[in-house]
Amino acid sequence: MMSPASKRRSVLLIGCGNMGSAIALALQDKAANLDLTVIDPDEERTRQVLGSQNKIKVVNDWAGLGSAQFDVCILAVKPTSALETLVDAQQNLQASLVISIAAGVPLAKLQQGVTNRARVVRVMPNLAAIVRKAISVGYADGAISTEDRELAEFVFGAIGRFQWLKSENEIDLATAVTGSGPGYVFSFVQHLQHAAEQIGFSKETADFFARQIIIGAAGLLEEDLRSPLQLKHAVTSPHGTTAAGLAEFEQEQAMPRVIRQTVAAAAARAKELATEQS
Ligand SMILES: NC(=O)C1=CN([C@@H]2O[C@H](COP(=O)(O)OP(=O)(O)OC[C@H]3O[C@@H](n4cnc5c(N)ncnc54)[C@H](O)[C@@H]3O)[C@@H](O)[C@H]2O)C=CC1
Ligand SMILES: O=C(O)[C@@H]1CCC=N1
């Protein structure tokens, strides 16, 4: 079998917002064998975000696609319009692997909008796709072919790391961790910045500090083999400043409870989204 990287394929990306644009730009850079078409009603913003130095074709309605057929379709619209959009696209997706990144929209629902139910995959990436450091998780049912699995791995490999999950339930749970996770981290940075301002630093300095702390810590998590716990111990001198700070931060009713409740609330919302769709 030819590897996904060695065969020329056409890709239709539906929806070019935060995630769609990140995926389109990564595919353009990293997957030279893919011919990319993007459809989004906001053509002007789409052209602006994608820039002009590429071969991506942009259209703003289905008529712009004519009778073109695509090997792969990536569905990157809001969950509420996922099925309706797939139905609209159906005539152009007769031979497509369809990959939906819409949070919470069940596989069974997506399958209602396609002609070949065996060729639908759910993937949950995250916003770090913009810098090609996403973690994406995927789920497909047993009917999916090995070739389609490899194709999905290839496409999402362009934006970072990829892992298959064993059940559809897991993809909704992962959405609350990996999909939403960058949002929790940005909230942490935002509040760290505010705290630095409160003890006297200017907004600009506090912003610089808060960002660099995360960038430095992320670099350690990427390059240093120690566990997060070991790294934490390396920062924390006995009776020192970090120990004093962590004594507040790690109180059971403080950060540990907040993180647990945050992830549980997001997971509950992912489940609700699934029922809203069915
Ligand atoms: N933002 C994030 O961090 C993540 C989002 N997701 C999922 O990705 C999907 C997109 O999210 P975002 O990119 O944040 O949303 P967004 O609102 O930034 O982008 C949606 C895009 O779809 C376009 N659109 C609307 N109707 C359309 C149609 N009928 N045909 C083609 N394009 C249409 C809009 O003009 C917009 O550009 C959602 O389903 C979300 O659950 C998944 C992982 C992470
Ligand atoms: O907040 C959301 O619903 C989407 C899914 C994961 C990240 N953003």
Side-chain angles (χ1 to χ4, degrees):
M1 190 195 301
M2 283 173 103
S3 84
S6 59
K7 190 170 164 186
R8 195 126 218 107
R9 308 208 197 226
S10 54
V11 177
L12 175 66
L13 178 88
I14 308 180
C16 195
N18 296 306
M19 289 307 298
S21 58
I23 293 169
L25 290 168
L27 290 179
Q28 169 68 25
D29 278 1
K30 293 196 150 191
N33 63 325
L34 300 182
D35 297 316
L36 193 54
T37 301
V38 170
I39 180 165
D40 193 297
D42 194 339
E43 184 175 343
E44 197 182 322
R45 184 175 45 81
T46 300
R47 287 191 187 279
Q48 202 174 21
V49 74
L50 296 180
S52 52
Q53 302 302 311
N54 59 57
K55 298 184 298 224
I56 303 173
K57 181 177 175 188
V58 175
V59 302
N60 66 7
D61 62 14
W62 305 112
L65 296 178
S67 57
Q69 295 299 320
F70 297 90
D71 298 311
V72 181
C73 166
I74 302 166
L75 184 64
V77 298
K78 290 293 187 197
T80 42
S81 47
L83 177 60
E84 173 195 333
T85 307
L86 260 191
V87 170
D88 288 343
Q90 212 174 54
Q91 69 274 22
N92 298 101
L93 306 180
Q94 296 301 310
S96 306
L97 167 67
V98 173
I99 306 174
S100 166
I101 66 162
V105 184
L107 203 58
K109 188 78 178 174
L110 298 163
Q111 285 169 334
Q112 290 171 23
V114 301
T115 38
N116 188 347
R117 296 169 63 89
R119 301 197 70 199
V120 185
V121 176
R122 282 183 65 186
V123 171
M124 179 48 54
N126 71 18
L127 197 65
I130 295 171
V131 290
R132 316 229 166 134
K133 287 186 182 267
I135 161 74
S136 302
V137 291
Y139 174 74
D141 66 23
I144 196 87
S145 69
T146 303
E147 191 179 359
D148 281 347
R149 276 188 183 270
E150 288 176 355
L151 195 46
E153 289 163 22
F154 173 68
V155 167
F156 284 85
I159 59 166
R161 309 277 293 267
F162 180 88
Q163 185 174 315
W164 288 106
L165 298 175
K166 289 191 185 67
S167 72
E168 185 156 19
N169 181 47
E170 279 186 340
I171 202 164
D172 292 325
L173 295 177
T175 301
V177 182
T178 59
S180 299
Y184 312 150
V185 175
F186 298 138
S187 174
F188 172 80
V189 175
Q190 181 196 351
H191 289 287
L192 191 58
Q193 176 186 336
H194 290 164
E197 284 178 56
Q198 273 187 344
I199 61 168
F201 289 103
S202 70
K203 192 173 170 39
E204 292 68 31
T205 300
D207 175 72
F208 175 59
F209 283 179
R211 283 172 185 264
Q212 281 307 125
I213 289 161
I214 284 284
I215 293 166
L220 282 167
L221 289 170
E222 190 161 43
E223 290 178 24
D224 195 303
L225 291 179
R226 283 173 289 180
S227 69
L229 181 65
Q230 288 170 321
L231 286 166
K232 185 179 77 175
H233 286 155
V235 186
T236 311
S237 310
H239 312 296
T241 60
T242 317
L246 287 177
E248 285 293 324
F249 196 59
E250 293 191 331
Q251 273 181 38
E252 174 50 29
Q253 287 309 303
M255 203 269 295
R257 183 182 63 94
V258 168
I259 292 279
R260 264 200 320 275
Q261 290 188 340
T262 299
V263 170
R269 182 63 192 136
K271 288 277 165 250
E272 271 173 24
L273 281 175
T275 51
E276 279 169 24
Q277 303 303 319
S278 47

